[in-house]
Amino acid sequence: MILSLVRIGTRSGEPVSGAHFTSSCARVADTGAETPKIRDGCLPRKFFCAYPAPGVSETLEKIRKSAADRLNLAVGRSPAKEIKRYKTFLKVETARLKMLHRGGAGGREVCAARSEVLDQLHIHILRTVQRNFEAKHADEKLPRYALIAIGGYGRAELNPCSDIDIMILHAADGVAASVGKLPGLLQAMVDPDGLLYTLYDIGLKVGHSVRTIADCVAVANEDMQSKTSLLEARFIMGDPALFEQMQSVVLAKCILGKENEYIRQRIEDQDTRRTKWGDTALLQEPNIKNGCGGLRDYQNLIWMSLVKYRTRNLKELQEKELISRRERKDLEAAYDFLLRTRNELHYLTNRDGDVLTKNVQPKVAYALGYTDRSPARRLELFMHEYYTQARNIHLITRTIE
């Protein structure tokens, strides 16, 4: 059922960003080193580069310190035997972020912090795997690799119960092409004592792939969604030069000269979603992610703008005069509001979900600060705000499309 809504206007808000954060954002040149140097959280600024959300840096530093105190293991300790340690870290940091959220933190701030928690978990587990491998195989040449976050995790916009997607990128050194056998360290990552099994045993829902740069090019040219995931990929650990090389090759072989095709595919995908989930922002039970005026509409705008105009965020779109300052603020405020709403939905239901069903709307409204004495009034105020923000995203993105 579609609701009618009167007096919907725009509401500007202060820009809230921070999708990508790292301990070091410096570009890293290819040193030609054969052994991969661990660079925790280094992000080349070739594609997406956002701006830190207010207050997020302090939270990230607390998370990093907590990880350093809790997750450092001596050489020889197996990550597979430290599941309780990793679960405790996740439990403590999840509680920290829930308190941050309930204290009024923005949607992007909490999602960025959640991504940092997972970054630190990946970094410490993989660092232990690599150190243990080096101790046992001191004379073996290590392959070049990079651990990369993709999807929502790549954007560092990870809601509390969202799945995580990672890619292990390697240079194909020592890979037996006939059988696809991975060289020592890479195989150790996917073995029972390695990264992937440990993540599964902790209870995380992980999607993963192991690819070379050639594999990335092939999959990007076959599938638009895979191409998009590589555009917003984010470096976590390993060889930053290999990651930059992948980005450069994907840009040259999968983007340049194919911009119109990509935009056509994205618009078709947009139309398909609107047909499935409704071509209006005023549904009684809106889908926060895929619905009209939802998170995906905003993300679609960023992806298409990146490919067509080489802009990486709304600020650069404004600088090119494709949107006004007011539109940028409205989009940023709306996107943050939807992320915050989705965060609360995840905390409330303790599962990954996108639909604001009628039975959860009153609880979400109250938790987000709509505390009028009248339950009907607080629900009315919350849903009016939701429809206003979703409509802002819908109208502005449709205009730019």
Side-chain angles (χ1 to χ4, degrees):
M1 182 180 296
I2 298 175
L3 299 182
S4 61
L5 186 65
V6 297
R7 297 192 301 275
I8 291 186
T10 58
R11 192 194 76 164
S12 62
E14 289 302 314
V16 181
S17 188
H20 296 299
F21 51 88
T22 52
S23 56
S24 169
C25 285
R27 293 288 295 272
V28 180
D30 189 348
T31 60
E34 295 182 348
T35 300
K37 297 181 179 180
I38 297 176
R39 294 295 300 274
D40 302 345
C42 176
L43 173 66
R45 292 175 287 182
K46 186 171 295 181
F47 286 143
F48 283 83
C49 183
Y51 302 86
V56 72
S57 296
E58 182 180 348
T59 302
L60 302 190
E61 286 304 319
K62 289 179 180 178
I63 293 169
R64 291 168 190 148
K65 185 179 185 304
S66 174
D69 291 342
R70 296 172 181 271
L71 303 183
N72 278 329
L73 298 180
V75 174
R77 298 277 291 275
S78 170
K81 297 180 180 179
E82 300 291 338
I83 301 302
K84 183 177 180 180
R85 177 191 299 271
Y86 298 129
K87 284 186 174 181
T88 299
F89 170 75
L90 275 181
K91 184 177 180 179
V92 169
E93 295 308 318
T94 298
R96 182 205 303 274
L97 298 189
K98 190 172 183 178
M99 290 175 60
L100 185 71
H101 165 76
R102 292 281 162 80
R108 270 183 159 166
E109 181 179 350
V110 173
C111 290
R114 173 68 177 172
S115 299
E116 179 67 20
V117 170
L118 272 297
D119 279 1
Q120 291 302 316
L121 192 64
H122 282 84
I123 288 168
H124 282 81
I125 294 173
L126 188 48
R127 179 186 290 156
T128 300
V129 171
Q130 178 162 332
R131 287 173 175 170
N132 288 346
F133 183 85
E134 289 176 314
K136 294 179 180 179
H137 308 275
D139 298 329
E140 184 170 331
K141 176 183 175 182
L142 297 180
R144 296 176 65 204
Y145 77 88
L147 180 64
I148 299 170
I150 56 179
Y153 186 29
R155 294 189 302 274
E157 292 176 355
L158 203 60
N159 295 101
C161 298
S162 294
D163 297 350
I164 58 176
D165 294 291
I166 58 174
M167 177 174 70
I168 300 173
L169 179 70
H170 64 96
D173 301 328
V175 177
S178 59
V179 295
K181 185 177 181 180
L182 296 172
L185 177 58
L186 295 178
Q187 187 61 46
M189 293 181 192
V190 299
D191 279 344
D193 283 343
L195 173 67
L196 295 180
Y197 278 84
T198 302
L199 294 174
Y200 296 145
D201 290 342
I202 293 170
L204 295 173
K205 294 175 286 185
V206 184
H208 78 279
S209 57
V210 181
R211 294 174 179 159
T212 64
I213 293 178
D215 294 333
C216 292
V217 171
V219 73
N221 282 329
E222 290 176 1
D223 178 61
M224 179 265 294
Q225 303 292 0
S226 297
K227 182 182 295 187
T228 300
S229 70
L230 292 175
L231 287 178
E232 58 188 3
R234 181 171 59 85
F235 178 87
I236 299 176
M237 174 180 170
D239 186 343
L242 182 64
F243 173 65
E244 287 201 358
Q245 183 183 354
M246 182 274 292
Q247 286 193 311
S248 298
V249 173
V250 168
L251 178 63
K253 295 187 177 182
C254 306
I255 302 297
L256 296 179
K258 301 179 181 180
E259 292 88 347
N260 292 337
E261 177 188 0
Y262 178 81
I263 297 224
R264 177 186 59 79
Q265 291 173 333
R266 287 247 61 101
I267 292 177
E268 287 178 357
D269 179 72
Q270 188 91 311
D271 292 340
T272 300
R273 280 192 303 102
R274 287 170 178 163
T275 299
K276 180 177 181 179
W277 299 104
D279 197 17
T280 175
L282 308 182
L283 295 177
Q284 273 193 332
E285 295 186 328
N287 187 300
I288 303 171
K289 178 180 177 181
N290 292 305
C292 185
L295 297 170
R296 192 62 86 206
D297 280 8
Y298 174 98
Q299 293 157 3
N300 211 41
L301 170 65
I302 297 296
W303 296 330
M304 290 192 294
S305 300
L306 170 66
V307 169
K308 186 173 181 64
Y309 302 111
R310 302 297 187 265
T311 57
R312 298 164 294 180
N313 46 60
L314 294 181
K315 185 176 181 180
E316 293 184 5
L317 267 178
Q318 181 189 338
E319 290 171 353
K320 286 184 175 289
E321 299 183 349
L322 295 169
I323 58 174
S324 67
R325 180 173 180 272
R326 175 63 179 268
E327 288 173 329
R328 174 174 68 86
K329 286 190 171 184
D330 284 343
L331 281 173
E332 289 172 333
Y335 191 61
D336 194 76
F337 177 86
L338 294 190
L339 282 177
R340 179 163 160 72
T341 301
R342 193 172 187 231
N343 287 342
E344 181 55 42
L345 180 63
H346 283 201
Y347 283 130
L348 182 65
T349 61
N350 196 32
R351 63 181 178 84
D352 186 10
D354 300 309
V355 180
L356 268 178
T357 58
K358 287 187 286 186
N359 65 310
V360 301
Q361 288 172 9
K363 297 176 182 178
V364 171
Y366 190 84
L368 292 181
Y370 297 84
T371 55
D372 191 277
R373 291 182 63 183
S374 166
R377 179 59 177 163
R378 72 175 73 127
L379 179 59
E380 177 187 352
L381 291 172
F382 166 64
M383 293 307 296
H384 183 278
E385 179 73 1
Y386 181 92
Y387 294 136
T388 298
Q389 302 294 8
R391 187 170 181 268
N392 285 344
I393 291 178
H394 174 59
L395 292 179
I396 296 172
T397 54
R398 275 306 272 262
T399 300
I400 298 173
E401 287 175 15

